[in-house]
DNA sequence: AAAAAGAGTGACCAGATAGTCATTATGGGC
DNA sequence: GCCCATAATGACTATCTGGTCACTCTTTTT
């Protein structure tokens, strides 16, 4: 299953085999074909799992000959990598931006904004690449072997960023003294489970209400504050006490 | 990979092939062998994933001939089922007990006790069957196909119980009005992610402090209550506000 | 139009894999 | 010590799988 050497670190992103010279015709067709292969593969991956899908399955589902696959991808892992690429790029960029913003933020509002931005990035990825996000959720916890390697790698990066971000948020002194590795991973776990629920169409109500619900949950917890205030509290400027 | 019919619902739990007649000697040896196969398989599953391990791998790692495997298990899925069995039994029993307790509980203390009991069940499973728990965490989100079927099934049951329990907790009127499907799944996600961290030996501090940290997080959230109270607050009767 | 470059094909190969089975070994009851 | 049910074996089959390649078809370049 594994093949080639993994030494060249700077291989191309989209279609990695022969670089198309002209900037016009053939290249467009090439991109279409590659995307057709990726789309068919993704569908199968979601149905049967990454390891349960063969190259033959993919080419048959795409309607091309087997050899064609290898004209576009080195192997299954390369296809998965291509599939993951846009999501990885946008997600990691969003997380890094959040980290930087948080490092400089010194008031609550800036902190909230940073988190909202991450939520927006996730929502965007969810809308643009629902299948890929689901693939990530399905496979990210398995051992980093074969075609799953890059997925697991992304999961590690996400976890690290999350803990990092939580760390930074903690230095602001606005959060309860819980170990960032704990609270950060807990939030990641919660978010990922809810995303999976949304993508699996488990009954979870209006997805658009999720960010608010989750924010409330994470910031203020489940326990109802014992006051005569039945309404839902959203993100305001932080509680001021008389 | 799939085989037989799935129609008989009451198949045996431990070793499912030929029921050993005498109640003494040979049966003990049989159980040992089965456990040896399960142990070797589990180790491989954790390294390479459920689908990445062949029957040959398992028998070689156990040091027996291939045919021997089929004397103990119908196929890989049956072995996984046997592996899962004790954890599933204890976990589901704990969740059901919690559900019943919660249905009758009418004060906060009884509610906390019910949750503590579930935490104890999880901790117990973690200590007795760390490998199996990890296998569950690794595989539970993949498509319910082949050997993964039973793992995915358990995951569904866990999710359902969690939502159910949260639902019941909500009827007590002590919790914030967040959809139970949302808060329940969020908690499951957080717990599972933290368990994975513990079992993967990610740096997460003292695992014994996890239940408290998580309880605080879930009940009271991350936001630090704005008062001159720097110490960590544990489970008490809930915050009273002036 | 001719030539060159790229794209597509599917038969083919070598190795792997699930599951079977005739044969041999073993251990317990007598 | 004998016998037989059970256990263990590993060679065997049929199928599948990743990957290759000589050949044909299509598009671009000259």
């Amino acid at each position: 299953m594994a093949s080639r050497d993994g030494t060249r670190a700077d291989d191309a992103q989209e279609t990695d085999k022969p670089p198309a010279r002209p900037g016009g015709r053939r290249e467009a067709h090439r991109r279409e074909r590659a995307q057709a292969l990726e789309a068919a593969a993704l569908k199968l991956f979601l149905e049967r799992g990454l390891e349960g899908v063969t190259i033959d399955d993919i080419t048959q589902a795409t309607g091309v000959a087997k050899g064609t696959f290898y004209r576009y991808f080195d192997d299954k892992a390369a296809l998965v990598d291509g599939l993951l690429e846009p999501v990885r790029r946008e997600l990691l960029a969003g997380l890094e931006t959040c980290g930087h913003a948080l490092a400089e933020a010194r008031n609550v509002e800036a902190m909230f904004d940073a988190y909202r931005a991450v939520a927006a990035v996730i929502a965007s990825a969810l809308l643009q690449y629902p299948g890929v996000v689901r693939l990530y959720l399905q496979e990210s916890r398995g051992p980093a072997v074969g075609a799953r390697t890059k997925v697991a790698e992304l999961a590690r990066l996400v976890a690290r960023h999350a803990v990092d971000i939580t760390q930074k948020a903690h230095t602001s002194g606005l959060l309860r003294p819980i170990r960032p590795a704990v609270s950060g991973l807990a939030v990641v776990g919660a978010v990922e489970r809810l995303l999976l629920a949304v993508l699996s169409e488990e009954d979870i109500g209006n997805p658009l209400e999720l960010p608010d619900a989750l924010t409330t949950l994470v910031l203020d917890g489940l326990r109802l504050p014992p006051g005569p205030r039945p309404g839902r509290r959203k993100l305001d400027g932080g509680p001021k006490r008389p």
Side-chain angles (χ1 to χ4, degrees), chain A residues 117-187:
Chain A
V118 171
V121 168
I122 293 175
S124 160
L126 208 58
L127 289 174
Q128 287 180 266
Y129 319 98
V132 179
V133 173
R134 187 164 179 195
L135 181 66
Y136 165 85
L137 295 172
Q138 278 187 4
E139 304 285 345
S140 61
R141 295 191 178 173
V145 169
R148 215 186 289 107
T149 309
K150 288 297 180 67
V151 186
E153 184 188 316
L154 178 54
R156 279 203 314 276
L157 287 176
V158 167
R160 206 157 45 129
H161 272 100
V163 173
D164 203 51
I165 283 173
T166 312
Q167 179 83 270
K168 278 173 181 143
H170 271 270
T171 63
S172 75
L174 293 162
L175 300 187
R176 221 177 273 275
I178 294 181
R179 249 176 169 264
V182 173
S183 52
L185 289 182
V187 172

Side-chain angles (χ1 to χ4, degrees), chain A residues 43-89:
Chain A
K43 183 162 177 251
L44 292 171
F45 290 157
L46 295 180
E47 287 168 6
R48 306 184 210 163
L50 223 37
E51 310 262 353
V53 177
T54 70
I55 308 292
D56 274 310
D57 292 335
I58 297 172
T59 53
Q60 276 174 33
T62 315
V64 300
K66 184 176 198 169
T68 302
F69 177 91
Y70 291 97
R71 192 157 272 288
Y72 289 89
F73 304 99
D74 274 345
D75 50 21
K76 211 163 59 174
L79 185 147
V80 171
D81 193 39
L83 227 26
L84 231 42
E85 218 286 320
V87 173
R88 175 175 45 211
R89 182 161 31 81

